[in-house]
């Protein structure tokens, strides 16, 4: 698996963890009224989200990843 796919999966893990940390059901909106449901923080899930975020941030700022990302854009953006 490439570094960009790993970054993408870490980002997805973070967003899903945050969703369930804020809303136990995973639903942000009420099905009946479409209003935003109140946030009820789950500490364990919030901690999970923080772990995903730190790892995502580490990959996002990796020197080799950034160099390869720039090189990829140079090659494939000109088409």
């Amino acid at each position: 698996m490439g570094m960009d796919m790993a970054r993408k999966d870490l980002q997805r893990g973070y967003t899903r963890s945050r969703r369930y940390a804020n809303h136990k059901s995973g639903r942000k909106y009420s099905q009946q009224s479409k209003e935003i449901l109140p946030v009820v923080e789950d500490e364990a899930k919030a901690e999970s989200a923080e772990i995903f975020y730190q790892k995502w941030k580490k990959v996002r700022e990796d020197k080799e990843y950034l160099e390869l990302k720039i090189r990829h854009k140079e090659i494939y953006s000109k088409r």
Side-chain angles (χ1 to χ4, degrees), residues 36-47:
I36 295 178
L37 296 169
V39 173
V40 179
E41 183 85 9
D42 180 320
E43 278 190 42
K45 291 175 184 167
E47 184 179 340

Side-chain angles (χ1 to χ4, degrees), residues 2 19 25 30 35 39 42 46 49-50 53 55 65-66 75:
R19 176 185 298 163
S25 69
S30 168
E35 291 182 16
V39 173
D42 180 320
E50 183 61 27
Y53 181 75
K55 299 299 181 181
Y65 170 72
L66 293 172
I75 293 170

Side-chain angles (χ1 to χ4, degrees), residues 39-71:
V39 173
V40 179
E41 183 85 9
D42 180 320
E43 278 190 42
K45 291 175 184 167
E47 184 179 340
S48 170
E50 183 61 27
I51 292 167
F52 272 110
Y53 181 75
Q54 292 305 321
K55 299 299 181 181
W56 170 35
K57 188 175 170 182
K58 186 175 180 179
V59 169
R60 218 177 40 197
E61 297 170 354
D62 183 80
K63 187 176 181 178
E64 182 180 5
Y65 170 72
L66 293 172
E67 288 171 3
L68 291 172
K69 184 177 175 181
I70 289 168
R71 194 165 77 193

